């Protein structure tokens, strides 16, 4: 009887582990399906310049938000841009710190519609690393992005949104 | 295994037959007897029902009229949160564990639960868990106020300090449930009397076996979710914090992966109770026994595959919504099988309407109403309108109050003559039923209309057009609350005395507990295994 109880006790232990295993599984699932607006990243060397699809034009809109607790103002210099799939473009965001002290933030991107996310790739982005601003500093932060040529024909407009979150310097 | 030990120990332990309980308070603290522990669970559950119910009274009082009259919005949020937590983890779940403790050994012909000392421990950590949870109300930050579903980031970044007490309390409840469930499975698989094959077990035992497997599978996932909350709050992880690469929507996925099987944990044992009561008072054997077993098992398996129907409005792709919609609606098939079997059992039966039968019939009718509004909610496109409105509140109160709670009360009236040896007062029982049933419909039925008209849940104030229905609902609420205080009186009256119950109790009753045990049963029943036909 105690033996079967011990055997049964394995199930809750495994399921406790499974609860935590759901975290990477969730990321993998979102990665494969492109759900959740998570964008891709490609190296500049992988891009083939001959594959630009000039017959299509997609409008990319830029949004910027700052989360509470980070005294930064954050905005795109250009609000929207017309792009051809397959070509690399650059957009610039301007960040201004209103704090007298050194502050650190992390930008998190999100693309909408969600199904466009996996076709929206960045070669360079300030969101790849944490950004540190001196007191009252203003900085321009560029991103380089490319929209895949195999993006669904239904998509005529993509919104790229960044939110800067405060990073605790603990 | 059980059989060998009794035969070996027959001579040496024969004096145990007349061995009664210890005296005084320590009897209850140190007891390992399944009947004592069952009683403790049931009293804990009743206490929590009245505690959670008093918070519901505060909610209905505030919603009696539009505007803010009685409580601050922050306190109102604490009330909705604590009401949900206390009713789910404190009232409904322990009540079923109490019934399991009392009934499973008697129904399968076992002398006690398989692991009696662990049984004592599973009960006695609960009062500590609930004291800890209740104590948050007195703290400076107030009790948790983020809803019983504790979605991140409300429960992480923006939560009160008392949340850590809540997290630890949930851990303790989870440990208690898992230990209780292991005990139930070990008892059912190892301690059945010879001849009690799996497919001869009463359905209450079957539904509890399946529920116990659900418990050990999903309570640890809940423990994982609250552990992630804890490390997010204090140890710098970012499971649910977008700034650190986490995702608050993932919290909802993990929570509902636990949460949907959890709702079946609260209803499957109820199906078992109803499947015992209906045949007794229809004086016919249960129609479709094996289909009942298979239906219960399929509901349990499907319950793991439908969790995201709670999240239709989080921005899922259409393919995901369609999958979760069809899977959800599929559950109505085995549930329909059950309702069909109960109705068919009654078909051409010689029915009488004693109090337990009234509660069981109330269950069938009103649980089905809750099931139908559940189907409406399961349809993804219309759920966009119903989501987070009073329609949802009406739905889950029909399945949990007139479903789960009604079955618990039915079980009380059905088995209390067996447990205590006293018949309850039939007149008072019937008054309790009709009082509760009229009140509960006055309470919850108008909430369907409020929800369809767009009244959001968990908000202390509302627009003027909702005023009449809210007032009606509140009046029903106060009446229903009072009816349960009346129930407390009936319970105490029955324990203290009453007409002597026969061993069979009910004319049509079947099962080992009615056919082979006296009313009340001896402190240690079935020291020798009963014959099973």
């Amino acid at each position: 009887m105690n033996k079967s109880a011990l055997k049964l006790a394995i199930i809750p232990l495994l399921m406790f582990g499974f609860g935590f295993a759901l975290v990477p599984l969730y990321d993998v699932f979102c990665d494969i399906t492109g759900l959740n607006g998570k964008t891709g990243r490609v190296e500049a060397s992988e891009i083939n310049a001959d594959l630009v699809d000039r017959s299509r034009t997609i409008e990319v809109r830029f949004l910027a938000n700052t989360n509470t607790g980070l005294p930064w103002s954050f905005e795109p210099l250009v609000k929207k841009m017309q792009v051809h799939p397959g070509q690399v473009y650059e957009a610039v965001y301007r960040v201004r710190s209103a704090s007298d002290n050194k502050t650190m933030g992390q930008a998190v991107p999100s693309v909408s519609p969600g199904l466009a996310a996996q076709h929206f790739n960045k070669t360079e982005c300030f969101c790849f690393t944490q950004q540190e601003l001196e007191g009252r500093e203003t900085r321009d932060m560029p991103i380089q992005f490319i929209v895949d040529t195999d993006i669904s024909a239904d998509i005529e407009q993509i919104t790229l949104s960044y939110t800067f979150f405060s990073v605790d310097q603990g | 295994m059980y059989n060998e030990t009794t035969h070996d120990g027959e001579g040496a332990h024969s004096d145990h037959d007349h061995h009664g309980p210890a005296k005084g308070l320590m009897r209850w603290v140190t007891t390992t007897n399944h009947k004592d522990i069952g009683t403790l669970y049931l009293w804990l559950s009743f206490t929590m029902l009245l505690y959670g119910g008093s918070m519901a009274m505060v909610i209905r009082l505030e919603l009696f009229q539009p505007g803010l009259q009685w409580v601050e919005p922050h306190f109102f949020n604490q009330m909705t949160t604590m009401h949900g937590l206390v009713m789910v983890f404190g009232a409904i779940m322990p009540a079923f564990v109490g019934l399991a403790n009392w009934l499973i050994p008697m129904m399968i012909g076992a002398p006690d639960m398989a692991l009696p000392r662990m049984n004592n421990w599973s009960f006695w950590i609960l009062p500590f868990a609930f004291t800890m949870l209740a104590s948050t109300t007195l703290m400076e930050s107030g009790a948790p106020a983020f809803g019983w579903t504790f979605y991140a980031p409300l429960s992480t970044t923006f939560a009160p300090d008392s949340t850590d007490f809540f997290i630890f309390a949930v851990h303790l409840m989870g440990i208690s449930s898992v230990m209780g469930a292991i005990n139930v499975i070990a008892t059912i698989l190892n301690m059945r009397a010879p001849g009690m094959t799996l497919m001869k077990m009463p359905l209450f035992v079957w539904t509890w076996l399946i529920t116990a497997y659900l418990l050990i599978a999903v309570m640890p996932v809940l423990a994982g979710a609250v552990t992630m909350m804890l490390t997010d709050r204090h140890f710098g992880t970012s499971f649910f914090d977008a700034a650190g690469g986490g995702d608050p929507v993932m919290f909802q996925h993990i929570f509902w992966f636990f949460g949907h099987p959890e709702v079946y944990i609260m209803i499957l044992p109820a199906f078992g109770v109803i499947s015992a009561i209906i045949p007794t008072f229809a004086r016919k054997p249960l129609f479709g026994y094996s289909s009942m077993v298979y239906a219960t098992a399929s509901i349990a398996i499907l319950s793991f595959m439908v969790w995201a129907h709670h999240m239709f409005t989080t921005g899922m792709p259409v393919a995901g919504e369609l999958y979760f919609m069809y899977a959800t609606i599929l559950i109505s098939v085995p549930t329909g099988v059950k309702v069909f079997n109960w109705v068919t059992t009654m078909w051409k039966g010689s029915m009488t309407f004693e109090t337990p039968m009234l509660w069981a019939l109330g269950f069938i009718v009103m649980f089905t109403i809750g099931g139908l509004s559940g189907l409406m909610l399961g349809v993804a496109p219309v759920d966009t309108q119903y989501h987070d409105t009073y329609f949802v509140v009406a739905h889950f109160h029909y399945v949990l109050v007139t479903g789960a709670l009604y079955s618990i009360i039915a079980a009380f009236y059905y088995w209390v003559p067996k447990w205590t040896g006293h018949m309850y007062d039939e007149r008072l029982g019937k008054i309790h039923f009709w009082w509760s049933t009229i009140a509960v419909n006055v309470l919850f039925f108008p909430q369907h209309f409020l929800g369809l008209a767009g009244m959001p849940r968990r908000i202390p104030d509302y627009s003027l057009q909702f005023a009449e229905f809210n007032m009606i609902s509140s009046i029903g609420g106060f009446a229903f609350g009072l009816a349960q205080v009346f129930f407390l009186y009936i319970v105490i009256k029955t324990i203290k005395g009453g007409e002597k119950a026969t061993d069979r109790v009910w004319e049509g009753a079947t099962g080992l507990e009615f056919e082979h045990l006296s009313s009340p049963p001896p402190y240690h029943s079935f020291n020798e295994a009963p014959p099973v036909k």
Side-chain angles (χ1 to χ4, degrees), chain B residues 202-475:
Chain B
L203 263 170
F204 180 75
V205 181
W206 253 117
T207 51
W208 241 111
L209 179 65
I210 292 165
T211 303
Y213 275 108
L214 287 181
L215 276 169
I216 58 173
V218 299
M219 290 310 283
V221 176
L222 176 71
V226 293
T227 308
M228 289 180 216
M229 270 170 63
L230 186 75
T231 57
D232 267 17
R233 283 167 57 78
H234 297 296
F235 303 108
T237 60
S238 310
F239 287 107
F240 309 128
D241 184 4
D247 191 335
V249 176
M250 184 178 72
F251 175 86
Q252 298 185 27
H253 282 286
I254 297 176
F255 177 82
W256 286 114
F257 186 84
F258 147 79
H260 201 77
E262 166 70 14
V263 306
Y264 290 103
I265 287 167
M266 291 189 283
I267 205 65
L268 292 185
F271 293 162
V273 168
I274 302 306
S275 303
I277 294 175
I278 297 288
T280 297
F281 296 99
R283 290 167 182 79
K284 272 178 68 194
L286 184 72
F287 181 86
Y289 171 89
S290 50
S291 68
M292 286 298 221
V293 174
Y294 298 133
T296 311
S298 12
I299 292 173
I301 292 164
L302 283 171
S303 75
F304 285 101
M305 306 176 189
V306 297
W307 75 90
H309 66 213
H310 298 270
M311 305 167 52
F312 279 144
T313 58
T314 52
M316 250 190 286
V318 173
E321 295 206 358
L322 286 177
Y323 161 73
F324 283 109
M325 173 173 116
Y326 291 132
T328 300
I329 288 172
L330 195 60
I331 295 187
S332 63
V333 176
T335 315
V337 168
K338 286 181 166 294
V339 175
F340 177 85
N341 285 349
W342 292 323
V343 173
T344 316
T345 304
M346 289 184 279
W347 180 254
K348 291 188 174 172
S350 319
M351 299 219 306
T352 50
F353 299 92
E354 286 88 342
T355 306
M357 184 64 165
L358 288 178
W359 288 93
L361 292 172
F363 171 96
I364 295 177
V365 173
M366 288 181 280
F367 175 78
T368 305
I369 294 176
L372 292 173
S373 58
L375 273 178
M376 291 170 72
L377 287 164
V379 179
V382 291
D383 180 71
T384 314
Q385 184 196 342
Y386 306 153
H387 185 84
D388 259 353
T389 66
Y390 261 83
F391 192 79
V392 179
V393 177
H395 157 69
F396 68 71
H397 281 94
Y398 263 91
V399 289
L400 286 177
V401 178
T402 57
L405 182 65
Y406 263 48
S407 80
I408 293 163
I409 298 175
F412 167 81
Y413 283 113
Y414 184 63
W415 279 291
V416 79
K418 172 54 67 183
W419 297 338
T420 62
H422 304 140
M423 288 305 283
Y424 58 86
D425 187 323
E426 187 66 45
R427 197 176 58 96
L428 296 188
K430 284 194 166 124
I431 293 172
H432 179 211
F433 171 76
W434 287 109
W435 182 356
S436 294
T437 301
I438 292 167
V440 84
N441 283 292
V442 173
L443 164 58
F444 292 122
F445 211 83
Q447 294 185 1
H448 290 115
F449 309 134
L450 286 171
L452 292 177
M455 178 172 164
R457 64 192 280 209
R458 292 175 171 154
I459 309 286
D461 192 5
Y462 49 83
S463 311
L464 293 178
Q465 71 266 31
F466 303 132
E468 283 82 3
F469 278 138
N470 268 295
M471 191 177 278
I472 293 169
S473 179
S474 286
I475 291 168

Side-chain angles (χ1 to χ4, degrees), chain A residues 1-2 4-6 8-9 11-13 15-16 18-24 26-27 30 35-36 38 67-68 106 108 115 165-167, chain B residues 1-2 114-115 158 178 182 185-186 190-191 213 216-218 220-221 223-224 227-228 239 241-243 245 247 249-250 253-254 257 317:
Chain A
M1 238 167 267
N2 284 323
S4 64
L6 286 177
L8 284 168
I11 302 178
L13 290 176
M15 288 307 289
F16 187 69
F18 178 73
F20 284 88
L22 284 172
V23 177
Y26 180 80
D27 280 340
C30 292
L35 292 176
N36 220 10
K38 293 205 171 167
N67 198 24
T68 49
Q106 166 74 54
V108 176
L115 291 176
F165 290 88
S166 165
V167 177
Chain B
M1 191 183 275
Y2 151 68
L115 306 150
F158 304 104
V178 167
I182 289 178
I185 298 174
N190 295 315
M191 310 256 298
Y213 275 108
I216 58 173
V218 299
V221 176
T227 308
M228 289 180 216
F239 287 107
D241 184 4
D247 191 335
V249 176
M250 184 178 72
H253 282 286
I254 297 176
F257 186 84

Side-chain angles (χ1 to χ4, degrees), chain A residues 11-63:
Chain A
I11 302 178
L13 290 176
L14 286 178
M15 288 307 289
F16 187 69
F18 178 73
F20 284 88
L22 284 172
V23 177
L25 282 173
Y26 180 80
D27 280 340
V28 170
F29 186 80
C30 292
D31 210 34
I32 294 171
T33 56
L35 292 176
N36 220 10
K38 293 205 171 167
T39 53
R41 178 177 179 175
V42 291
E43 295 303 323
S45 57
E46 293 170 23
I47 295 165
N48 185 345
D50 300 335
L51 277 177
V52 180
D53 181 359
R54 293 190 192 285
S55 63
R56 278 188 74 186
T57 307
I58 294 172
E59 184 177 88
V60 178
R61 296 178 164 209
F62 302 96
L63 290 179

Side-chain angles (χ1 to χ4, degrees), chain B residues 151-168:
Chain B
Y151 281 4
L154 265 184
S155 61
T156 52
T157 319
F158 304 104
D161 293 338
S162 60
T163 306
D164 300 324
F165 286 80
F166 154 80
I167 290 172
F168 194 42

